[in-house]
């Protein structure tokens, strides 16, 4: 993954065909975090707890729907990606990268949940095959996140100055 | 010397933050530790959601990591719900809790 340049408010990023395939694969999993994962509060005695939880669930569901539409638009929008012989160059606004971060992190956290939400301690022995797959997706999602964060926050310099 | 050639892009502050950290509003917005959200990511989300500078965001992120949780702000119920929703949109483990005297 490369950060090529900025033009106005747009960031131009380059992915090898393999990297783009992986990103598309990860995006295809969204949403991966179960809808019931988030709780508004841990306080069982809170007034209107269930009612407020339902409102939160609805808001998050609407957000997921919006992100899902944005993914489909991103992958199908003409002119978004320019293909070269060896790579694919994509144009992203800051808002695009911001929701991509949300989406990719959903896949990361969802992959972690799918592994049984392991703690910090490393378990000995070989993990089950299904868990291994989710562990891989989690790490790949993390790599994309760090790249997007580096671009957004200016920690990754562009390869080609404006 | 290398210089930045891109526009300075900082997280947009889209929410009123004047009341952030004001005391006695009744509800605490808390972020809980988990082993999956990346430290840089959590810092970034705090910057975006609360409009904090990186130093303050990082301080709270480290509190989450080292102490298991961080009290992010005290608010009335409506605002606390808003912040919890914003944090959960980014898949952070955040809840609101009533403040006990």
């Amino acid at each position: 993954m490369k950060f090529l340049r900025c033009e106005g408010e747009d960031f131009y990023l380059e992915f090898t065909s393999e990297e783009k395939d992986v990103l598309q694969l990860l995006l295809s999993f969204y949403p991966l975090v179960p809808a019931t994962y988030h709780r508004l509060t841990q306080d069982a005695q809170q007034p209107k707890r269930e009612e407020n939880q339902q409102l939160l669930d609805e808001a998050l569901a609407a957000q997921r729907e919006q992100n899902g539409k944005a993914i489909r638009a991103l992958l199908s929008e003409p002119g978004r990606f320019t293909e070269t012989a060896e790579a694919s160059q994509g144009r992203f606004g800051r808002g695009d990268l911001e929701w991509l971060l949300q989406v990719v992190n959903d896949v990361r956290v969802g992959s972690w949940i799918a592994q049984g939400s392991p703690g910090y301690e490393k378990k000995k022995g070989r993990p089950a095959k299904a868990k291994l797959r989710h562990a891989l997706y989690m790490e790949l999602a993390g790599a994309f996140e760090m790249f997007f964060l580096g671009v957004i926050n200016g920690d990754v310099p562009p390869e080609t100055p404006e | 010397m290398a210089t930045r050639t891109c526009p300075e892009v900082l997280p947009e502050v889209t929410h009123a933050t004047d009341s952030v950290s004001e005391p006695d509003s009744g509800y605490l917005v808390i972020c809980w530790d988990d082993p999956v959200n990346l430290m840089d990511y959590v810092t970034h989300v705090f910057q975006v959601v609360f409009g904090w500078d990186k130093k303050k965001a990082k301080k709270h992120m480290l509190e989450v990591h080292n102490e298991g949780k961080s009290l992010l702000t005290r608010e009335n119920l409506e605002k606390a719900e808003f912040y919890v929703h914003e944090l959960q949109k980014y898949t952070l483990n955040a809840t609101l809790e009533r403040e006990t005297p």
Side-chain angles (χ1 to χ4, degrees), chain A residues 12-139:
Chain A
Y12 284 80
L13 312 181
E14 183 177 275
F15 303 94
T16 64
S17 57
E18 291 84 2
E19 287 165 347
K20 190 181 173 194
D21 287 346
V22 170
L23 179 59
Q24 287 181 324
L25 176 69
L26 294 175
L27 295 180
S28 74
F29 295 146
Y30 181 84
L32 202 54
V33 170
T36 54
Y37 176 70
H38 290 296
R39 306 306 300 168
L40 179 64
T41 180
Q42 297 185 344
D43 179 5
Q45 304 303 317
Q46 183 170 309
K48 297 184 178 179
R49 183 177 186 235
E50 289 309 313
E51 188 182 324
N52 289 334
Q53 179 66 47
Q54 191 180 345
L55 288 173
L56 178 73
D57 291 346
E58 287 171 4
L60 287 171
Q63 182 66 34
R64 285 173 164 220
E65 176 69 23
Q66 192 179 329
N67 282 342
K69 284 181 183 169
I71 291 170
R72 291 189 288 278
L74 178 83
L75 297 178
S76 62
E77 183 186 328
R80 169 75 73 169
F81 287 98
T82 306
E83 307 296 333
T84 67
E86 297 172 349
S88 182
Q89 296 180 1
R91 172 182 46 81
F92 301 88
R94 187 183 186 283
D96 296 330
L97 293 180
E98 200 63 55
W99 68 255
L100 267 173
L101 265 179
Q102 290 180 14
V103 166
V104 173
N105 196 57
D106 177 282
V107 173
R108 178 174 165 80
V109 174
S111 300
W112 171 72
I113 294 168
Q115 294 173 70
S117 308
Y120 284 107
E121 72 287 350
K122 297 238 183 269
K123 288 187 177 172
K124 291 179 180 174
R126 183 175 295 175
K129 203 172 179 179
K131 287 188 177 179
L132 202 58
R133 184 164 51 91
H134 289 297
L136 177 64
Y137 295 152
M138 189 179 89
E139 294 305 325

Side-chain angles (χ1 to χ4, degrees), chain B residues 79-92:
Chain B
K79 276 194 175 176
E81 284 177 340
F82 169 79
Y83 282 123
V84 168
H85 172 57
E86 289 298 302
L87 294 165
Q88 292 186 351
K89 265 168 49 178
Y90 283 89
T91 336
L92 295 197

